[in-house]
Amino acid sequence: MSVGMKSVTDRLRDSGLLRTQGLIGGKWIDAYDGKTLEVHNPATGEVIANVSCMGGKETKDAISSAFDAFNSWSKLTAAERSKGLRKWYDLLMAHKEELGQLITLEQGKPLKEAVGEVDYGAKFIEFYAEEAKRVYGEIIPATLPDRRLFVLKQPVGVAGAITPWNFPLAMITRKVGPALACGCTVVVKPSEFTPLTALAAAELALQAGIPPGVVNVVMGNAPDIGDALLTSPQVRKITFTGSTAVGKKLMAGAAGTVKKVSLELGGNAPCIVFDDADLNVAVNGALAAKFRNSGQTCVCANRVLVQEGIYEKFADAFSKAVKNLKVGDGFGEGVVQVETFVEDAVSKGAKVLLGGRRHSLGMTFYEPTVLSNVKSEMLVSREEVFGPVAPLLCFKTEEEAIHMANDTNAGLAAYIFTNNLQRTWRVSEALEYGLVGVNEGLISTEVAPFGGVKQSGLGREGSKYGMDEFLEKEGACSTAFELYFEDGLE
Ligand code: ADP
């Protein structure tokens, strides 16, 4: 283990944040068969820690403890739940630096981005601490004079939350925040690549006084854990962020017990630069939308569509800006896949303007790459690249850009760069996407709904709408005066 990494892990251990066991019913627990799995630093390949490798049995116990805890947690007042969440937020912020280091260690993103993720991730807990107090129902004017109708919002029950490796903290807080605010309890299954941040966050939830069993964490054998969550009638909700393929499996699996399902799946985000865009704004926005997290977010620009009048100027300025990016952190898993996409594009006529090879740093590093002359039918335009490759496609008219942008099964994020106000409205509305950034490359915030259309997912996270995913609307009818059964109604 390198000296730098050792001092970081020692510090984390000293502050009690380097947890390696699962959390079930408020207790830190080994896998029942004692198995462990290695967590690696993707930038160096070093083993950071061995964590419990759990499966179906541990998950069933985690579900039982969440089910028991639901009884009391859901009956607390909203203000009491809010207080617990607020304390959790304060602790996440108090440990911002250590959590950031942990994210960099196991996920590989630059420390500045990792600390930024802690800020972003913690804000979901703060926001939902506030939102907990605003779960308003509704009174509906009754159809009979002696009746009163109302809608009561109730927590759906135990939620299973399955999260990916690209945002080890934020993908968890974005789910657990609203779940707990509504009165649900959770079984979290973080990615096996990045479980340490999830475990540290769970430790801080305990320290914040969130009762045992309200937040449980299991990791290890993903399909076994997934099956236990899907088949349990006690789990009433599955919330997932990850690949479209796994999301579809979970949706099918949830049908057996008719669970509520939220899915945040893959994107294929177009970034459209019109002739009338401000070149600097477009270059910086496209850079942020493309290369944030090394191109590994589901809202990352996947295709840069550039109008012919600005194409050459943009390609030149964009390549220069990409050239100035500093490489020094892990690019995660997909290097081989990225290579295939680039080879396919080049064999079909694309030109490499910059990069196009594995980085000399080795391991999982790939050079920031810009391809020009890319066509819609190339793999790099059709599949989610999830890596630092920006393909530039040329278009002539607004209609053509909209058609190219929508010609995909995905529909998560899109970006447009234009200074024409009417075009902004026209194109934003015509794009079949859940999120549209206008002259802006960074669009995620806890106060706005995040989610996709088409095969990019179901449901919304963040904002007041994120609460709906964990609530049932219970319609109730009450007699205000005397009971009459003469109307023959149900
Ligand atoms: P990504 O490409 O982001 O890694 P995945 O869909 O492979 O996306 O993984 C996202 C999460 O889904 C991870 O926590 C992973 O362990 C989990 N996962 C993968 N396969 C299954 C499965 N069959 N059942 C439940 N969870 C799964």
Side-chain angles (χ1 to χ4, degrees):
M1 190 183 281
S2 61
V3 179
M5 188 166 120
K6 185 161 185 332
S7 69
V8 172
T9 48
D10 282 349
R11 245 179 296 140
L12 287 163
R13 198 171 288 113
D14 289 346
S15 58
L17 292 184
L18 194 69
R19 290 282 171 190
T20 55
Q21 296 164 294
L23 181 64
I24 300 177
K27 296 202 169 64
W28 295 102
I29 288 180
D30 285 326
Y32 295 162
D33 59 6
K35 269 198 199 147
T36 58
L37 62 90
E38 292 179 345
V39 181
H40 295 100
N41 177 341
T44 63
E46 286 176 282
V47 176
I48 310 165
N50 290 285
V51 301
S52 309
C53 181
M54 299 177 144
K57 286 197 184 115
E58 294 87 344
T59 307
K60 280 187 188 145
D61 288 344
I63 294 168
S64 295
S65 70
F67 191 72
D68 291 345
F70 178 71
N71 252 331
S72 43
W73 179 251
S74 59
K75 292 196 178 68
L76 292 181
T77 63
E80 285 167 321
R81 285 198 298 270
S82 173
K83 229 183 255 168
L85 284 167
R86 177 73 211 188
K87 186 87 198 293
W88 190 14
Y89 164 76
D90 289 341
L91 287 175
L92 289 167
M93 293 308 282
H95 293 280
K96 185 157 97 170
E97 292 302 321
E98 294 128 290
L99 289 169
Q101 288 166 355
L102 198 50
I103 291 174
T104 296
L105 261 188
E106 66 174 350
Q107 197 274 346
K109 69 179 71 175
L111 188 60
K112 194 160 161 254
E113 277 192 49
V115 173
E117 181 186 336
V118 181
D119 260 324
Y120 171 58
K123 278 188 186 145
F124 286 100
I125 303 299
E126 183 190 39
F127 181 85
Y128 286 108
E130 293 154 358
E131 211 56 23
K133 298 180 230 165
R134 294 185 248 288
V135 183
Y136 301 131
E138 205 171 22
I139 304 286
I140 297 172
T143 50
L144 295 168
D146 65 332
R147 308 282 163 93
R148 295 296 177 267
L149 291 178
F150 60 94
V151 176
L152 186 65
K153 291 192 183 166
Q154 302 266 45
V156 64
V158 174
I162 301 176
T163 57
W165 53 268
N166 60 348
F167 286 88
L169 181 70
M171 294 304 103
I172 289 173
T173 53
R174 190 152 91 165
K175 294 171 166 51
V176 176
L180 266 53
C182 292
C184 294
T185 56
V186 294
V187 176
V188 179
K189 194 210 83 65
S191 164
E192 282 61 45
F193 295 119
T194 57
L196 299 172
T197 309
L199 295 171
E203 162 67 26
L204 292 174
L206 284 180
Q207 289 181 20
I210 291 175
V214 172
V215 177
N216 304 275
V217 185
V218 290
M219 65 262 146
N221 184 328
D224 282 1
I225 295 171
D227 278 354
L229 289 170
L230 291 171
T231 51
S232 167
Q234 292 182 326
V235 175
R236 297 309 318 142
K237 164 86 192 180
I238 294 288
T239 169
F240 171 76
T241 298
S243 62
T244 307
V246 173
K248 286 179 180 176
K249 263 195 222 164
L250 296 177
M251 191 172 172
T257 45
V258 193
K259 298 186 203 307
K260 224 169 147 75
V261 178
S262 305
L263 304 170
E264 295 290 351
L265 309 178
N268 180 1
C271 171
I272 311 175
V273 181
F274 289 99
D275 283 346
D276 54 26
D278 179 312
L279 187 65
N280 268 338
V281 171
V283 167
N284 290 332
L287 202 66
K290 175 65 239 181
F291 289 99
R292 187 161 64 101
N293 218 34
S294 311
Q296 295 172 331
T297 84
C298 42
V299 291
C300 269
N302 209 49
R303 301 167 284 157
V304 186
L305 316 181
V306 191
Q307 203 161 13
E308 57 182 357
I310 198 175
Y311 188 89
E312 292 304 329
K313 258 196 286 180
F314 178 88
D316 187 46
F318 186 66
S319 299
K320 281 200 183 110
V322 174
K323 205 170 175 182
N324 286 333
L325 290 175
K326 252 183 42 206
V327 179
D329 297 276
F331 283 152
E333 282 308 285
V335 173
V336 175
Q337 173 169 310
V338 168
E339 256 176 352
T340 315
F341 290 157
V342 172
E343 275 165 23
D344 171 79
V346 170
S347 75
K348 290 174 181 157
K351 246 176 65 192
V352 178
L353 292 188
L354 189 75
R357 280 172 311 187
R358 284 178 185 241
H359 199 277
S360 55
L361 281 171
M363 285 301 298
T364 50
F365 293 91
Y366 196 85
E367 290 180 347
T369 295
V370 182
L371 302 175
S372 74
N373 203 28
V374 172
K375 300 285 178 252
S376 289
E377 60 279 7
M378 295 175 185
L379 275 180
V380 76
S381 306
R382 307 221 60 82
E383 305 284 332
E384 192 174 21
V385 177
F386 235 66
V389 177
L392 306 187
L393 293 84
C394 188
F395 68 87
K396 286 196 173 70
T397 63
E398 184 179 302
E399 292 68 33
E400 189 189 357
I402 292 169
H403 173 77
M404 285 163 79
N406 288 341
D407 183 22
T408 166
N409 285 329
L412 188 55
Y415 306 85
I416 62 174
F417 292 90
T418 172
N419 277 339
N420 177 325
L421 187 61
Q422 288 95 329
R423 170 173 275 160
T424 298
W425 285 105
R426 237 180 6 247
V427 178
S428 299
E429 287 177 22
L431 288 173
E432 296 161 356
Y433 285 84
L435 305 149
V436 179
V438 178
N439 294 328
E440 174 60 75
L442 299 175
I443 52 175
S444 301
T445 154
E446 75 282 3
V447 302
F450 182 104
V453 301
K454 298 203 275 192
Q455 292 182 29
S456 282
L458 285 178
R460 293 294 178 265
E461 293 189 317
S463 80
K464 64 174 182 177
Y465 302 104
M467 297 285 277
D468 294 341
E469 308 294 328
F470 296 93
L471 292 168
E472 294 288 10
K473 292 175 196 75
E474 182 182 306
C477 176
S478 155
T479 43
F481 303 103
E482 287 163 48
L483 274 174
Y484 293 104
F485 292 109
E486 290 157 14
D487 49 27
L489 295 175
E490 199 174 350

